[in-house]
RNA sequence: GGCGACGUAGCCAAGUGGUAAGGCAGAGGUCUGCAAAACCUCCACUCGCCGGUUCGAUCCCGGCCGUCGCCUCCA
């Protein structure tokens, strides 16, 4: 097995991944701020984060994955107040829809989803630790991180803040900060905002604090992987590093993995352009969410993805090709249950090449496009071998095993709904009886009826197969 | 102004110092009920433009043009 290489934002290079503790990976994925329904750009980040975790597991590593849910923040406070609700009431439906969307996209559950509001004591302790080490100052009841006290600030983003530049959008007069680079750790209570009474004053946490507190609490002071999208590199992740390393004096994260954005029709999603899509919206447009998952994975995570509805149509058709092949493999593998014969080794060759190519692609910084390429090459060459009669039941069984082997990583294979089968089969049987009687009008009527129910038929010399349209 | 990414066929997109994966669309063909679906074949002498390095560059270097992102909340 070759090495898994991942692009580490810290070094701007693809590095061989080796966990700190052999065999065990601890990863933190930046999760949602729940003031809104999540859009498909958010989902892209969660999907590849999940695939990273799946691939690590596929390589035999045990993974502990944590994803935060940020449920206290400026927009949440503002919206909740406008709705006349408390934070928990306001955020609950968004948290619920977040999980529902993930499930529909086949994103597996992380091991924990800590919430910021449940981590106030740990955050306060972190601020106190930073204070003890001389990295903070207070002004008007708020506590700030003094960036000048920490060597190496900026090592992740390589951003140097020039306070004098007219282009710097950092507002240096905000919150009584001593320096534009400084950032707030703990915000003093204002007006009627929700606040916690703590040893460092009555107030609420700054934006970056929860991620440092929760990740270190659940994964340790130094852990392996931290994922997120590129926009978080600065200031969020840079400040997480400052808070965490300032408090512990130890390296915080070993591999920073950032994914590119998803654009809609070449443009960034934004409310003003009205081009934000949520998962339920995609669904109500009539698309199968598996097509969305496929579309998201067809572009490697570090490449900008230009999303269009055509990409969903393309994905849907590509998935049909995959499903037809799966059906063909399945049918042949079941054709001779026991004394399954192997033919000339054609299948073994295809399988070997497929698994090697798949792994090579995934090892190269999670090249999912290359991995899919390997799959489609297997499908074409497999179909040719089938047509030439070089694949017998035993070979097909091997193909099936190979396909099932990669299934847990990409998880893009269409699933059958078993309870449909009996009903479908009855209609197919009736249609085939009509065909046999050369009553094509009736057989076509039955076929069309199936089509209208979303079932496509494939007549083959061996019988009729069906799949979902 | 600073930092960074990208520009490969109609669309999406991988990739390598030695002459371009894959998917979709399109065109042919096989099977078949002159049906549907499926399957196969074909489809970039060329990788934004111009120089340079090299025996040889799409892939290395430099310049230019173009697109996009971050420097403020943001997946």
């Amino acid at each position: 097995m070759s090495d898994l290489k991942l692009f580490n934002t810290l070094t701007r290079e693809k590095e061989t991944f080796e966990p700190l503790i052999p065999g065990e990976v601890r990863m933190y994925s930046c999760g949602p701020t729940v003031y809104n329904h999540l859009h498909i750009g958010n989902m892209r980040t969660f999907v590849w984060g999940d695939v990273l975790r799946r691939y690590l597991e596929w390589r035999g590593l045990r993974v502990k994955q944590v994803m935060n849910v940020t449920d206290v923040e400026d927009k949440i406070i503002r919206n909740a107040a406008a709705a006349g609700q408390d934070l928990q009431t306001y955020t609950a439906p968004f948290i619920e829809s977040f999980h529902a969307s993930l499930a529909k996209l086949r994103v597996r559950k992380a091991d924990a989803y800590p919430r910021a509001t449940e981590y106030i004591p740990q955050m306060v302790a972190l601020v106190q630790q930073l204070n003890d080490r001389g990295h903070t100052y207070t002004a008007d009841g708020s506590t700030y991180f003094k960036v000048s006290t920490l060597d190496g600030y900026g090592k992740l983003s390589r951003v140097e803040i020039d306070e004098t530049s007219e282009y710097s959008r950092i507002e240096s007069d905000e919150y009584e900060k001593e320096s534009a680079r400084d950032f707030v750790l703990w915000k003093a209570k204002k007006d009627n905002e929700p606040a916690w009474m703590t040893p460092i004053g009555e107030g609420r946490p700054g934006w970056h604090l929860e991620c440092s507190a929760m990740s270190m609490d659940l994964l340790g002071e130094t852990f392996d992987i931290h994922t997120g999208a590129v926009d978080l590199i600065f200031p969020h992740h840079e400040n997480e590093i400052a808070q965490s390393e300032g408090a512990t004096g130890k390296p915080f994260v070993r591999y920073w993995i950032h994914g590119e954005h998803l654009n809609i029709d070449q443009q960034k999603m934004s409310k003003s352009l009205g081009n934000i899509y949520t998962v339920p919206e995609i669904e109500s447009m009539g698309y199968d969410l598996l097509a969305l998952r496929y579309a998201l994975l067809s572009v490697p995570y570090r490449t900008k993805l230009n999303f269009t509805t055509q990409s969903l149509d393309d994905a849907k058709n590509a998935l049909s090709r995959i499903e037809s092949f799966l059906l063909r493999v399945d049918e042949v593998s079941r054709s001779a249950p026991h004394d399954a014969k192997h033919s000339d080794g054609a299948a073994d060759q295809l399988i070997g090449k497929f698994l090697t190519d798949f792994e090579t692609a995934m090892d190269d910084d999670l090249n999912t496009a290359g991995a899919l390429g390997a799959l489609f090459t297997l499908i074409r060459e497999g179909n040719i071998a089938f047509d030439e009669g070089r694949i017998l039941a035993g070979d097909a069984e091997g193909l099936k095993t190979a396909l099932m082997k990669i299934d847990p990583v990409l998880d893009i294979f269409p699933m059958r709904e078993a309870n449909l089968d009996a009903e479908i089969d009855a209609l197919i049987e009736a249609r085939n009886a009509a065909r046999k009687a050369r009553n094509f009008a009736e057989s076509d009527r039955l076929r069309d009826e199936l089509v209208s129910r979303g079932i496509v038929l494939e007549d083959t010399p061996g019988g009729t197969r069906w799949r979902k349209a």
Side-chain angles (χ1 to χ4, degrees), chain A residues 21 56 107 110 125 144 157-158 164 169 191 210 268 288 342 347 380 398-399 438:
Chain A
I21 301 171
L56 291 166
V107 173
Y144 297 89
S157 61
R158 305 187 183 183
T164 62
R169 296 198 238 167
D191 307 326
E210 84 274 20
K268 187 174 175 173
D288 185 336
H342 286 273
R380 191 187 60 253
L399 277 171
R438 303 192 65 79

Side-chain angles (χ1 to χ4, degrees), chain A residues 137-144 184 186-189 200-203:
Chain A
Y137 60 88
T138 58
D140 288 346
S142 293
T143 304
Y144 297 89
V184 66
W186 188 260
K187 295 181 175 181
K189 176 173 176 162
I200 57 172
E202 185 176 17

Side-chain angles (χ1 to χ4, degrees), chain A residues 105-306:
Chain A
L105 280 172
R106 300 188 177 184
V107 173
R108 287 175 27 193
K109 286 264 182 204
D111 295 284
Y113 293 96
R115 298 183 188 186
T117 52
E118 294 168 349
Y119 268 77
I120 301 295
Q122 290 89 337
M123 288 192 254
V124 169
L126 193 61
V127 173
Q128 288 173 321
Q129 227 178 121
L130 286 167
N131 186 48
D132 292 345
R133 287 175 155 261
H135 291 301
T136 67
Y137 60 88
T138 58
D140 288 346
S142 293
T143 304
Y144 297 89
F145 188 96
K146 192 174 175 66
V147 168
S148 61
T149 62
L150 187 75
D151 284 343
Y153 182 84
K155 64 183 175 183
L156 180 71
S157 61
R158 305 187 183 183
V159 167
E160 290 188 24
I161 296 172
D162 178 358
E163 299 172 40
T164 62
S165 167
E166 59 182 301
Y167 292 93
S168 174
R169 296 198 238 167
I170 303 268
E171 292 181 40
S172 50
D173 58 351
E174 185 192 10
Y175 283 110
E176 310 304 324
K177 284 192 290 187
E178 290 179 5
S179 160
R181 305 159 74 201
D182 296 345
F183 57 92
V184 66
L185 295 164
W186 188 260
K187 295 181 175 181
K189 176 173 176 162
K190 277 198 276 187
D191 307 326
N192 292 317
E193 287 183 351
W196 286 260
M197 187 57 90
T198 75
I200 57 172
E202 185 176 17
R204 60 189 173 92
W207 174 31
H208 319 294
L209 196 58
E210 84 274 20
C211 280
S212 288
M214 299 191 293
S215 62
M216 290 198 291
D217 183 65
L218 292 163
L219 298 172
E221 292 178 340
T222 300
F223 57 93
D224 297 299
I225 295 176
H226 196 311
T227 66
V230 288
D231 53 272
L232 293 181
I233 295 171
F234 188 88
H236 186 52
H237 289 335
E238 192 70 65
N239 290 351
E240 272 186 55
I241 293 175
Q243 292 168 343
S244 304
E245 300 192 348
T248 68
K250 297 174 189 166
F252 177 44
V253 169
R254 304 175 63 240
Y255 300 86
W256 284 95
I257 313 295
H258 292 100
E260 257 297 348
H261 280 159
L262 175 155
N263 292 329
I264 307 272
D265 294 325
Q266 313 279 17
Q267 288 181 300
K268 187 174 175 173
M269 276 190 283
S270 76
K271 276 186 184 160
S272 56
L273 289 167
N275 60 355
I276 290 176
Y277 292 104
T278 65
V279 169
E281 279 166 1
I282 295 287
E283 203 171 21
S284 69
M285 286 161 71
Y287 289 103
D288 185 336
L289 293 178
L290 189 57
L292 176 57
R293 180 179 175 85
Y294 180 95
L296 295 179
L297 290 176
S298 68
V299 179
Y301 78 98
R302 285 200 305 118
T303 300
K304 286 184 197 60
L305 189 158
N306 182 34

Side-chain angles (χ1 to χ4, degrees), chain A residues 63 76 306 311 438 440:
Chain A
V63 180
I76 294 174
N306 182 34
S311 64
R438 303 192 65 79
F440 298 123

